[in-house]
Amino acid sequence: MASSPCAPASMRVAAIDIGTVTCRLLVADVDAEGLHELRRAHAITNLGEGVATSGVLLPQAMQRVDEQMARFMRVIEECRDDERPDVAIVAMATSAARDAHNSDEFTALLAARGIELSVIPGEREAELSFKGASSSFPAEPLFVVDVGGGSTEVIAGIAGEAPQFRHSFNIGCRRVTELFLHSDPPTADELQQAKEWARAEMEPFFSDVRAAGFTPRAMAAVAGTATSVAAMHLRLERYDAEKVHLSRIDRATLDELAQRVSALPLEERRQVVGLEPDRAPVIVAGFAILQTVLDAAGMDAFTVSETDILHGIVLDTAARLADGCF
């Protein structure tokens, strides 16, 4: 990372990711040796509630996020000290805010709290996800898949370099749930329809990657669906990021978990060890998306990464600070 006269040797950055289902915060220092995490926080706020059908952010959903931002700002303040009084705060919103007709209301709401929100396009989301996820992998061909609530980003490239292929699909676990999975538990026909729709949307991208002769050796999966799958597989009664990070989930394991969890009604799903209760309503769709991605990519496993878009935001912000006093 190059330095400039106006950038300190080490920078403290607070990255906020406001997704369709979850809000997350990472505060980290970045220096010549890399990224050093200080604090993490997250909450399921369901900003995208109803967006797939209504096209608007609901007042109560925006309020839930705003209240969570107040908690995040307190965490950020706790990370200021005499040595590091300045923390660069970068807040980005993704699929739900992109799709909603009234996202300007949401942006204004957070501005009143002192948070300058960027609603980023899917291609930018994909780029940042790859930057963060690939930092945990050797410099070899890699797929990264980021299953969100409203969209799924699939990126291919050499780990640590700029991505060569990237696409943001309007296929997310909340969107798929609202569009297809109306029964409790979802029926086999509903799941099949959801997978067929997702496969038809994704197949051209993977065909282009194959036609270019690019052959990734591994797939990294980031964000809440993938980490939840790992936590359920490991039967973690208390979430442990160190155990989840770089855990490998093969197709047989994914299918077994999907079959077991998808057969449960919602209230029983909420009791599954390793699954946050508030993620239970959308996890069945999350399984279906991961299965579809593996099928389309022709791969039999993925590796769960705890480094993701948050790390990408931190690294990108630090680079911009160093190069041009961001």
Side-chain angles (χ1 to χ4, degrees), residues 199-233:
R199 180 66 181 262
E201 293 290 314
M202 291 181 171
E203 185 56 46
F205 169 81
F206 287 99
S207 294
D208 288 345
V209 174
R210 286 192 291 270
F214 190 83
T215 308
R217 298 179 183 175
M219 176 179 286
V222 301
T225 293
T227 57
S228 295
V229 169
M232 286 184 283
H233 172 57

Side-chain angles (χ1 to χ4, degrees), residues 5 9 22 39 51 86 89 91 94 98 152 192 210 230 262 279 286 299 305 325:
T22 310
R39 295 284 297 273
V51 169
D86 297 322
I89 301 173
T94 54
R98 278 199 299 268
T152 292
Q192 186 61 30
R210 286 192 291 270
S262 300
R279 192 173 290 279
M299 303 191 78
S305 176
C325 305

Side-chain angles (χ1 to χ4, degrees), residues 46-67:
N46 287 311
L47 176 65
E49 178 186 357
V51 169
T53 52
S54 71
V56 296
L57 299 172
L58 299 177
Q60 62 267 32
M62 291 189 283
Q63 186 62 37
R64 287 194 299 267
V65 175
D66 184 51
E67 291 171 358

Side-chain angles (χ1 to χ4, degrees), residues 113-282:
R113 192 172 289 286
I115 297 173
E116 182 179 346
L117 180 67
S118 297
V119 179
I120 60 173
E123 297 302 299
R124 176 65 170 155
E125 183 179 359
E127 177 186 348
L128 291 169
S129 291
F130 190 79
K131 181 184 286 286
S134 69
S135 65
S136 292
F137 289 81
E140 61 183 24
L142 179 72
F143 271 131
V144 170
V145 55
D146 182 346
V147 178
S151 66
T152 292
E153 284 66 49
V154 182
I155 317 99
I158 305 299
E161 299 180 8
Q164 297 180 36
F165 307 88
R166 57 187 176 184
H167 194 85
S168 179
F169 300 93
N170 286 327
I171 300 168
C173 56
R174 172 163 285 282
R175 191 188 300 270
V176 168
T177 300
E178 292 182 0
L179 292 178
F180 293 97
L181 309 185
H182 307 301
S183 304
D184 184 25
T187 67
D189 284 346
E190 289 171 344
L191 283 167
Q192 186 61 30
Q193 289 175 17
K195 289 178 182 179
E196 288 176 357
W197 172 72
R199 180 66 181 262
E201 293 290 314
M202 291 181 171
E203 185 56 46
F205 169 81
F206 287 99
S207 294
D208 288 345
V209 174
R210 286 192 291 270
F214 190 83
T215 308
R217 298 179 183 175
M219 176 179 286
V222 301
T225 293
T227 57
S228 295
V229 169
M232 286 184 283
H233 172 57
L234 296 169
R235 301 188 62 80
L236 298 180
E237 295 188 4
R238 187 183 186 90
Y239 191 81
D240 187 330
E242 291 187 2
K243 291 182 178 179
V244 167
H245 186 50
L246 300 183
S247 57
R248 185 178 185 274
I249 305 295
D250 61 33
R251 184 57 190 266
T253 297
L254 180 66
D255 288 349
E256 187 278 327
L257 278 171
Q259 183 176 13
R260 176 167 60 86
V261 175
S262 300
L264 300 174
L266 177 58
E267 289 309 310
E268 291 183 34
R269 243 180 284 146
R270 293 185 189 275
Q271 308 304 316
V272 173
V273 175
L275 178 64
E276 285 183 281
D278 287 344
R279 192 173 290 279
V282 297

Side-chain angles (χ1 to χ4, degrees), residues 4-21:
S4 75
C6 54
S10 175
M11 288 159 276
R12 185 158 294 176
V13 179
I16 298 172
D17 170 32
I18 301 175
T20 301
V21 173

